[in-house]
Amino acid sequence: MSAYVAHVPSMTRYCALLEQFLGDRGPAAPPWSCESTDFWCLVEHAAAARPEQGWKLHVSANLHAADEVLRRVLPVLGDAAVCFKFARSPEQLAALNGGAGSRSQIGKFVTVYPVDDAQAVALAVALDRATVGLSGPVIASDRPLRPGSLLHYRYGSFGGAVLQTSIGALVPTLRAPDGALVPDRREAAFTPPAWASDPFVAAGVTVDAPPAARLLAGRYYLTGTFYTSPTSTVSLALDLKARRRCIVKAVRDDLTLGDTDIPASALLWHEAEVLRALVGPHVPVVHDCFAVGGHVHLVLDDIEGETFERTIAMRRETQRPVASGEVAAWGATLARALAWLHARGFAYLDLKPTNVIVTSDGRLRLIDFDAATPLGATLERSRGTRGYVSPQRASGKAFLVTVQEDIHALGALLYLAATGAEPSQATDPLDLLARPLARMAPGLDPRLAGILERCLAADLTRRFANMDDLLAALEDGGVFADLPPASLGAAGSGPGGPEHFLARARQLGETLLAVARPVAGGEGLLWSSSHSTGAGLASRDLNSGSAGALLALCELAAEFGDPRLIAAVRRGAIGLDRAPRPAGAALPGLYVGEGGVIAALLRAGQVLGEPAFIAAAATRGAALAELPFGSPDLFNGTAGRLRVHLWLGDETGDPVHRAAAIRCGDALLSAATIEESGEWRWTIPPGYDGMSGDAYLGYAHGAAGIADALLDLFLATGEHRFAAAVRGAARWLVRLAQQDGGAGAAWPAREGEPPAASYWCHGATGIGLFLLRAGSAGVVPEGLSWAARAAFSAARNTRWASATQCHGLAGNIELLLECHEVTHDPAYLREAAELASIMEALRCERDGQLLWPSESSTIHSPDYMVGYAGVATCLLRLARPERGGLLHRAPGSRARRDV
């Protein structure tokens, strides 16, 4: 059997190595079939039946070593009947090793699925031998075969049954000896199940690592860990001899950094030398540097405070914008520190928010000097952090170290402070100004914006020549003051008119077609989520799964009438209808659970004009009505299923669905806490992980979403007990509203907390949506004025967010368009177009496909709430604002069908 490659998004470097290996083997090539997903290259062997679970092998690699690791691994696997996968490109491996998934996934470059214990042991020994001398991180969830080995192993699922928890999380499962399914949790430590006997120990092929020492060099006692990464650990320690607290940085002797062959230990020795040469007020004090136990340890003074990254995150997430004066003051402080360093002949070369400490008294201190390099040196290969390195340094050519690199990085850091937008998550990290300061921070002093633009200039002749010039610009022109907020609608023009938005939506439709996965013997289609909530598993959900992708595809097909889109809707509905439900109790939710599946099948039937899919949705709706009531929320509980029953009743006219909706409404009334003041709230009951016991305000899990569903029920039935609940919830929300001193408003996620960012799930966006609908229905008259304030905050205060519906620009745009639909005020359209221009700058193309990232710039997932499927429906509504909200009213309602 010859090997073939199916659905390859691109022939990446690692995929090309696989192709080269197969070509070199010629007729003797192993009978492999290969499929490339968004993240992995999956390789199946024709004669290897993958077990449900067992001892899986992982081969670690860092970026520099990955090519050679794969070259050495493929011959070993090619001689065995075994299935495996590997990260499909350096971009994916960098995300994996950077902790984009979770700490337990760091290092898992190659995963091997042995057919039995004997093969697992034999392959482990062979792979360990083949990769001796290469470098990769320790895999936290696994046990290394020996200290320093790239070969790690753990007992786990091989991709069998999936369990869905009460909050909708999908987790792989293991089958216990009694047949019960239990979660296969990827812990940050090697924790095999009690029933799994370790065959590697039994075969005598493992070598234990010595226990980690708590006392180093006879004097430094480790008391806690601040930070761990694939390359280093930073701990708090007590110096028993000097009787003081200190910081201990530790790296492995044999580990290299990123895409370089530079030993991490050499950089730690280098940092110690630099700091000893630069004794002064702007650098940490070195107390010691020594090697022991295969690690190098650097002991520094303890600088108390929090990272600049944490400071900005808290300001951003709690709706406390950074004033122009603060940005300028921070910039001047850091410019003086860097000028001091430059005067002593060094460039810092690693300025980023995690390397700046904000002390308890507000001062800024630089840490981590391992990248500091003499000015004028030439670096053949230069490390750096995405978003903070200049185009010159990122070019891959020999790099001349100048002060202008630190000037560019300082500009990036101040861009973060001014806008809240993390440079490392920019679609193009070398062009941060693709999201212009005037749009991202419209209140920023224009003079300060000009200074930051000069720092970030790609053209060296436009960038400041040195820190003294930058300091002069920051200090010699008088006080920097924020501009007064412009009135709503004063925004500039967006990226284009309706035709532009339709074209972008059409391109996303092509992407959804390209990434669909055939199922059900080719009759159906499903979509795999790359988002952490979908975990790369076969989710059916609306939030992150096939129901959401299908729902978006339905809208695209209805808009464009393209036969290919229509055919994909039919196949998507077949795939979703036949997809097996995950193990565990059936969930009733709209965004996670059966409600979302019903909504997608219902809409598919409407778009296609095929009663069979509507009947399938109705049948599932009858089963949904029999599920017990649990959480009251819209996302995964009673409020969401109430909305689904109303949609079914509206479409079919069957009173059974209306009765089921009323039962949901009565359950919500019974579950409410009603204060003497008349305020209503709902508490998440036990069994919902960290949400249990909390009463949320927001739309996804709180009073706003629950009351919005009850508003639907009141409008459908006219029964005033439901309107009373709507008014009670609004009363609680209005009391907790926090005005920002201007035209906006903000709300906390829970009473007593700081205000949350303007998101659909929590904060002003979702709460504003409810208050707008309640106000326009006349149930909560004051709701309209509060909705206007919420819309102002959604338009102005969260421009740094991702593109998504749940907690990003698409969701905020939808609120603005809802406000326009109710008020007919064109100002809301202009503000929506302004956010659309920012969202436009986040787009990217890969393999000819248009994509928008999720919260992480490396994750592109066809999801509705946390991916680009939701961006597609937002674009459709930008093109035709009269379309109406997709999930705030019945899919296929009369207003939508007339579009």
Side-chain angles (χ1 to χ4, degrees):
M1 176 181 176
S2 62
Y4 69 91
V5 178
H7 178 46
V8 180
S10 69
M11 189 54 66
T12 66
R13 196 162 83 206
Y14 302 153
C15 294
L17 290 175
L18 173 65
E19 286 290 279
Q20 180 183 339
F21 169 77
L22 293 171
D24 291 344
R25 285 277 178 118
W32 288 345
S33 59
C34 312
E35 179 182 1
S36 191
T37 69
D38 189 61
F39 206 95
W40 301 103
C41 181
L42 312 173
V43 183
E44 300 288 329
H45 192 288
R50 186 189 297 195
E52 182 180 51
Q53 63 194 46
W55 292 97
K56 63 172 66 175
L57 309 178
H58 291 113
V59 183
S60 171
N62 67 11
L63 281 172
H64 170 68
D67 288 39
E68 185 61 25
V69 167
L70 194 57
R71 287 191 186 97
R72 297 189 192 183
V73 162
L74 288 174
V76 175
L77 300 179
D79 292 337
V82 68
C83 303
F84 63 97
K85 70 179 182 181
F86 55 88
R88 62 180 293 269
S89 75
E91 180 186 33
Q92 272 68 39
L93 181 57
L96 199 69
N97 284 355
S102 69
R103 182 168 176 258
S104 67
Q105 298 301 101
I106 291 172
K108 294 179 179 178
F109 176 43
V110 181
T111 303
V112 184
Y113 304 100
V115 297
D116 55 30
D117 288 359
Q119 188 187 56
V121 172
L123 282 175
V125 172
L127 291 168
D128 176 51
R129 288 174 179 165
T131 55
V132 167
L134 301 179
S135 177
V138 171
I139 299 175
S141 65
D142 292 25
R143 179 176 181 174
L145 197 66
R146 56 175 178 78
S149 176
L150 298 191
L151 192 285
H152 300 68
Y153 66 86
R154 68 178 291 270
Y155 192 90
S157 168
F158 282 11
V162 175
L163 177 71
Q164 192 161 33
T165 69
S166 59
I167 62 170
L170 291 169
V171 294
T173 62
L174 297 174
R175 192 172 299 279
D178 63 1
L181 290 176
V182 297
D184 176 18
R185 301 193 184 278
R186 273 73 164 171
E187 306 290 353
F190 180 63
T191 52
W195 72 79
S197 178
D198 191 325
F200 306 93
V201 172
V205 298
T206 59
V207 177
D208 290 331
R214 296 292 297 274
L215 183 64
L216 302 176
R219 64 183 289 184
Y220 305 109
Y221 184 77
L222 304 180
T223 60
T225 300
F226 276 142
Y227 169 78
T228 60
S229 76
T231 58
S232 64
T233 300
V234 181
S235 304
L236 181 66
L238 292 175
D239 184 343
L240 301 180
K241 183 176 179 181
R243 297 182 179 275
R244 64 187 169 205
R245 295 198 313 177
C246 55
I247 296 295
V248 178
K249 294 174 62 175
V251 298
R252 275 171 43 200
D253 282 335
D254 62 338
L255 197 63
T256 61
L257 291 176
D259 61 353
T260 77
D261 54 2
I262 303 170
S265 57
L267 286 182
L268 211 57
W269 288 112
H270 169 74
E271 181 175 7
E273 293 174 5
V274 168
L275 291 176
R276 284 170 174 152
L278 292 172
V279 175
H282 297 291
V283 298
V285 176
V286 176
H287 296 306
D288 208 346
C289 192
F290 56 91
V292 65
H295 290 72
V296 173
H297 303 268
L298 175 61
V299 184
L300 304 166
D301 63 329
D302 177 24
I303 301 174
E304 293 188 62
E306 65 180 13
T307 64
F308 194 77
E309 176 186 56
R310 175 67 175 162
T311 296
I312 296 301
M314 288 301 296
R315 295 286 293 271
R316 181 179 66 191
E317 295 290 342
T318 57
Q319 297 286 282
R320 293 180 294 153
V322 178
S324 297
E326 290 179 280
V327 175
W330 283 335
T333 297
L334 291 172
R336 279 191 288 270
L338 292 166
W340 181 90
L341 186 66
H342 296 164
R344 283 150 184 80
F346 284 90
Y348 182 63
L349 294 190
D350 200 18
L351 187 63
K352 57 185 177 182
T354 53
N355 282 352
V356 178
I357 297 294
V358 182
T359 65
S360 56
D361 59 0
R363 293 180 298 126
L364 302 184
R365 296 286 305 275
L366 296 175
I367 60 172
D368 285 353
F369 282 73
D370 59 359
T373 303
L375 291 169
T378 298
L379 299 179
E380 295 298 326
R381 179 181 286 151
S382 178
R383 295 188 306 122
T385 298
R386 189 182 196 274
Y388 294 88
V389 298
S390 70
Q392 291 76 27
R393 188 175 176 188
S395 67
K397 302 175 183 177
F399 169 67
L400 180 65
V401 177
T402 71
V403 300
Q404 288 186 315
E405 183 62 29
D406 286 343
I407 290 171
H408 182 279
L410 180 54
L413 191 78
L414 298 180
Y415 180 93
L416 166 65
T419 66
E422 171 53 64
S424 66
Q425 294 302 320
T427 297
D428 183 353
L430 301 179
D431 185 15
L432 302 184
L433 297 175
R435 290 185 286 175
L437 283 160
R439 277 202 163 113
M440 295 296 290
L444 191 68
D445 187 308
R447 188 162 53 89
L448 180 58
I451 291 171
L452 301 192
E453 289 166 357
R454 280 194 64 187
C455 290
L456 293 170
D459 183 350
L460 287 175
T461 64
R462 290 195 59 238
R463 206 178 302 166
F464 288 102
N466 53 59
M467 283 294 171
D468 289 336
D469 288 352
L470 172 55
L471 267 170
L474 288 170
E475 294 181 332
D476 294 349
V479 176
F480 292 97
D482 289 345
L483 297 175
S487 60
L488 198 73
S493 60
E499 293 306 316
H500 171 84
F501 295 127
L502 288 175
R504 288 283 190 240
R506 186 68 181 84
Q507 288 177 281
L508 282 179
E510 292 295 327
T511 301
L512 286 171
L513 293 180
V515 302
R517 177 167 56 90
V519 294
E523 292 184 65
L525 294 174
L526 288 177
W527 288 264
S528 294
S529 173
S530 303
H531 195 268
S532 58
T533 57
L537 301 172
S539 168
R540 304 179 307 147
D541 291 335
L542 194 155
N543 176 55
S544 57
S546 285
L550 175 59
L551 198 62
L553 197 62
C554 287
E555 301 312 304
L556 293 163
E559 174 65 40
F560 298 110
D562 186 322
R564 295 167 60 247
L565 293 173
I566 293 170
V569 168
R570 182 175 293 105
R571 293 178 66 194
I574 292 171
L576 185 62
D577 191 36
R578 297 183 188 177
R581 185 174 63 79
L587 302 182
L590 173 55
Y591 292 88
V592 289
E594 300 307 302
V597 175
I598 294 168
L601 291 174
L602 173 64
R603 185 61 180 141
Q606 293 168 343
V607 168
L608 297 170
E610 296 189 13
F613 291 124
I614 295 174
T619 299
R620 289 173 179 268
L624 178 67
E626 299 301 317
L627 294 179
F629 293 113
S631 175
D633 70 337
L634 184 73
F635 204 82
N636 57 3
T638 305
R641 64 193 276 191
L642 184 163
R643 189 162 265 174
V644 171
H645 286 306
L646 286 178
W647 294 345
L648 287 169
D650 178 66
E651 175 62 34
T652 67
D654 189 336
V656 168
H657 301 300
R658 176 188 175 99
I662 292 173
R663 287 196 299 275
C664 290
D666 287 334
L668 289 173
L669 300 187
S670 298
T673 298
I674 307 173
E675 304 294 342
E676 291 184 4
S677 62
E679 296 176 355
W680 288 53
R681 73 191 71 185
W682 287 264
T683 300
I684 306 294
Y688 290 87
D689 293 354
M691 294 193 301
S692 294
D694 286 323
Y696 292 95
L697 280 74
Y699 201 78
H701 300 293
I706 295 167
D708 203 37
L710 287 169
L711 175 64
D712 288 343
L713 189 56
F714 166 66
L715 295 175
T717 65
E719 297 189 19
H720 287 279
R721 67 184 190 277
F722 301 126
V726 172
R727 284 190 285 269
R731 190 172 289 117
W732 187 47
L733 295 172
V734 168
R735 178 174 68 82
L736 294 177
Q738 302 180 29
Q739 298 187 49
D740 61 7
W747 284 264
R750 292 169 290 201
E751 185 170 2
E753 294 183 347
S758 296
Y759 291 148
W760 173 91
C761 50
H762 295 291
T765 302
I767 292 172
L769 175 63
F770 157 63
L771 292 173
L772 176 72
R773 297 189 70 237
S776 63
V779 180
V780 182
E782 69 273 26
L784 290 174
S785 62
W786 283 107
R789 285 186 168 275
F792 189 93
S793 292
R796 300 293 175 82
N797 296 344
T798 318
R799 296 185 170 198
W800 42 263
S802 71
T804 65
Q805 287 272 353
C806 189
H807 30 257
L809 297 171
N812 290 3
I813 289 169
E814 294 267 16
L815 172 62
L816 295 169
L817 296 177
E818 286 279 331
C819 287
H820 171 261
E821 184 172 342
V822 169
T823 67
H824 306 292
D825 186 345
Y828 290 113
L829 285 184
R830 289 194 290 271
E831 293 292 336
E834 181 81 348
L835 293 190
S837 70
I838 297 171
M839 189 170 73
E840 175 89 357
L842 294 173
R843 78 192 189 284
C844 64
E845 287 193 14
R846 190 175 66 198
D847 311 318
Q849 298 167 5
L850 181 69
L851 299 164
W852 262 268
S854 189
E855 298 86 357
S856 169
S857 61
T858 63
I859 301 298
H860 304 87
S861 195
D863 300 322
Y864 190 84
M865 295 305 295
V866 292
Y868 53 79
V871 175
T873 60
C874 175
L875 291 166
L876 288 177
R877 196 171 181 194
L878 279 164
R880 305 193 193 283
E882 69 276 11
R883 291 180 64 89
L886 182 56
L887 291 167
H888 309 136
R889 62 192 76 175
S893 67
R894 182 168 302 279
R896 293 171 50 73
R897 290 184 198 176
D898 290 343
V899 172

